[in-house]
Amino acid sequence: MKKTLHQLKIQIDALTVFAKIKEDDVIKKLCALLEAVSGKPGDDTVRLYSDFVAALYPNSVSLTEYVRALMLQDDNFYVKGRAAGRPAEPEVMDAVEAELSILQKIADLRAGDMKAALGYDDYLPSWKNHSVDLKYDFMEKLQNITKTGYGIFAKYAFFRLDDGDIIPVAHPDFQKMDQLFEYKRERDLILKNTEALVSGAGASNMLLYGDAGTGKSSTIKAVAHHLAPQGLRIIEVKKNQLYQIPKLLEELSDNPLKFILFIDDLSFSGNDDNFSALKATLEGSISGCGDNAVIYATSNRRHLVKESFGDRAGDELHLNDTMQETMSLAARFGLTITFQKPDKDEYLSIVKSLAAEYGIDMDEEELFKKAEAHAIRKNGRSPRTAKQFIELLKIGI
């Protein structure tokens, strides 16, 4: 057994296509344990065993499942090449075959065999194993990579941009499609456009304009979650990050998934460099959106630009040209959808639906009376106002 463990350590060292797996903390600790167990007996083998299991447990009690997840999420050059439709050299294919066999050996490594090799008969923690065919799972992943993705995109659906890096959002704030009420026409337009993106038919960049609290952002995030199993991902981009969009699009260009670049609450003031950056991306730039990405923006301003009477009076010779340029940004979105505040009947319909969802049992007349009073205190009716009212009602406030 010690000879077998020593051989496994050498094989892990030889990983090349899956080289990044060697940098994983659990695998590093496993290698340290394998090296110690296969060498001369020492007092530190029990500690190394414990260190390995302590690193494994917070992720999974199953070593098999942990190794499988590492393999499926690995974004090595071979996976990226296959995703982009590039052929692989025979030598690389042979390496993939051999390394999948090595990963299978790690996944099948049993706690009992390791304990026996240690020759230690007192307490030691165990881990689980189960039957799995890693080669089959890996090939199946490659076949479905346009839906499952690779790397962090295989594990998460929501992301944000931070200093040019794509960072996953582990616990995104979103509502499901069936938790959105009213605005069916607007929601259907957004869903239809996004389904066209996912199917590869081509989609329009989209501007959602309207009153605050009407569900513009919620609808985009709900659609993103709804279509995530079909290969859609969403990346939030802040206004001060707009200049980074061309680089981001270049990074995503070979990715088999589809992406929404989401800009929330977008507006500009005069002499804003971000205005020009977004304008160039939407139309006319050499690095415009590709076939796998669209820009969805929300705004409370129809033309996205804060205007004053001074702006309209101006002191430029060709003021009309400046005004036309200012308003042209909104026109560069292929699809503009307006979200207006609901009327009384629509607002109360939303309240009624939310009350049913939250399990609130109250006389309808009293419910509506309190909902209207809440809307007056909150300066108007909106889906957000309705949800806040129901949430307060649920906790007895």
Side-chain angles (χ1 to χ4, degrees):
M1 175 54 66
K2 287 190 176 184
K3 184 177 179 180
T4 302
L5 296 177
H6 178 65
Q7 184 66 22
L8 179 57
K9 166 63 170 62
I10 295 173
Q11 290 175 330
I12 294 174
D13 288 341
L15 290 175
T16 302
V17 177
F18 293 92
K20 282 195 287 187
I21 286 179
K22 293 186 289 186
E23 301 304 313
D24 177 78
D25 186 54
V26 174
I27 300 302
K28 280 184 175 181
K29 285 182 167 56
L30 174 61
C31 286
L33 174 61
L34 291 172
E35 188 167 19
V37 170
S38 60
K40 294 181 179 179
D43 294 336
D44 61 344
T45 52
V46 170
R47 177 184 58 80
L48 291 171
Y49 181 102
S50 177
D51 288 346
F52 163 62
V53 180
L56 175 66
Y57 272 7
N59 299 281
S60 175
V61 178
S62 170
L63 178 60
T64 306
E65 195 54 42
Y66 184 79
V67 174
R68 181 178 180 274
L70 276 182
M71 177 200 69
L72 293 178
Q73 293 167 21
D74 191 53
D75 56 348
N76 59 66
F77 71 93
Y78 174 75
V79 171
K80 290 181 177 180
R82 286 290 302 271
R86 294 190 294 268
E89 296 291 342
E91 292 82 359
V92 174
M93 295 291 292
D94 291 343
V96 170
E97 183 93 13
E99 293 183 22
L100 285 173
S101 296
I102 295 171
L103 295 177
Q104 184 74 55
K105 291 178 182 178
I106 302 172
D108 293 340
L109 186 62
R110 295 181 299 176
D113 292 337
M114 186 66 75
K115 290 178 182 179
L118 261 63
Y120 180 74
D121 57 5
D122 205 337
Y123 161 75
L124 280 175
S126 296
W127 60 81
K128 292 181 179 179
N129 301 92
H130 64 267
S131 178
V132 67
D133 187 337
L134 293 187
K135 180 180 177 182
Y136 176 85
D137 290 348
F138 182 73
M139 295 306 172
E140 185 179 46
K141 170 200 169 167
L142 291 181
Q143 285 185 327
N144 297 299
I145 203 162
T146 56
K147 293 181 179 179
T148 60
Y150 55 75
I152 57 173
F153 299 112
K155 188 175 182 180
Y156 301 97
F158 286 71
F159 302 85
R160 59 183 174 84
L161 201 61
D162 186 3
D163 290 332
D165 297 325
I166 301 172
I167 306 298
V169 179
H171 305 288
D173 177 25
F174 67 90
Q175 293 174 268
K176 296 181 180 179
M177 292 288 285
D178 58 6
Q179 294 176 315
L180 302 176
F181 305 107
E182 298 297 325
Y183 297 95
K184 184 179 184 306
R185 173 186 168 277
E186 293 82 357
R187 188 162 59 252
D188 286 348
L189 285 171
I190 297 167
L191 181 60
K192 184 176 181 180
N193 188 65
T194 313
E195 286 175 336
L197 169 70
V198 171
S199 69
S204 297
N205 296 315
M206 190 163 56
L207 173 64
L208 276 60
Y209 153 75
D211 298 302
T214 49
K216 303 181 293 296
S217 302
S218 297
T219 303
I220 291 175
K221 289 187 283 188
V223 168
H225 173 263
H226 179 68
L227 296 177
Q230 299 180 37
L232 181 66
R233 303 292 183 264
I234 182 169
I235 304 173
E236 184 172 10
V237 181
K238 301 294 185 183
K239 195 186 85 166
N240 61 358
Q241 299 171 325
L242 295 180
Y243 73 94
Q244 298 177 10
I245 288 181
K247 179 178 178 292
L248 176 61
L249 291 170
E250 187 69 24
E251 184 178 346
L252 298 174
S253 61
D254 282 341
N255 199 299
L257 299 174
K258 309 297 182 184
F259 295 89
I260 294 174
L261 305 188
F262 173 48
I263 311 167
D264 196 22
D265 197 19
L266 182 63
S267 66
F268 299 97
S269 56
N271 301 318
D272 194 329
D273 291 338
N274 292 298
F275 179 92
S276 299
L278 181 58
K279 186 177 178 182
T281 301
L282 288 171
E283 185 179 324
S285 169
I286 193 171
S287 57
C289 293
D291 295 332
N292 69 333
V294 290
I295 294 175
Y296 285 2
T298 70
S299 180
N300 298 336
R301 298 177 181 274
R302 176 65 181 84
H303 297 297
L304 304 176
V305 179
K306 299 176 182 177
E307 291 185 275
S308 66
F309 286 109
D311 294 329
R312 289 187 174 271
D315 57 3
E316 294 190 32
L317 289 175
H318 303 287
L319 179 60
N320 187 59
D321 290 347
T322 301
M323 294 295 297
Q324 289 298 322
E325 180 183 9
T326 298
M327 292 186 293
S328 69
L329 179 60
R332 291 182 184 235
F333 286 90
L335 182 62
T336 299
I337 300 175
T338 303
F339 279 67
Q340 297 179 332
K341 281 192 175 183
D343 60 25
K344 180 178 179 180
D345 289 340
E346 290 170 335
Y347 170 69
L348 294 179
S349 175
I350 295 171
V351 169
K352 184 177 179 180
S353 299
L354 285 170
E357 181 183 331
Y358 278 69
I360 292 175
D361 185 16
M362 179 181 287
D363 177 73
E364 187 173 287
E365 184 176 347
E366 182 183 2
L367 177 70
F368 288 173
K369 182 179 179 180
K370 289 186 174 182
E372 280 285 84
H374 183 80
I376 292 172
R377 292 194 299 271
K378 287 291 183 178
N379 298 318
R381 307 180 183 100
S382 73
R384 181 185 297 162
T385 301
K387 186 178 181 182
Q388 290 171 344
F389 164 67
I390 292 298
E391 287 175 341
L392 290 173
L393 204 60
K394 179 69 176 178
I395 61 177
I397 297 179

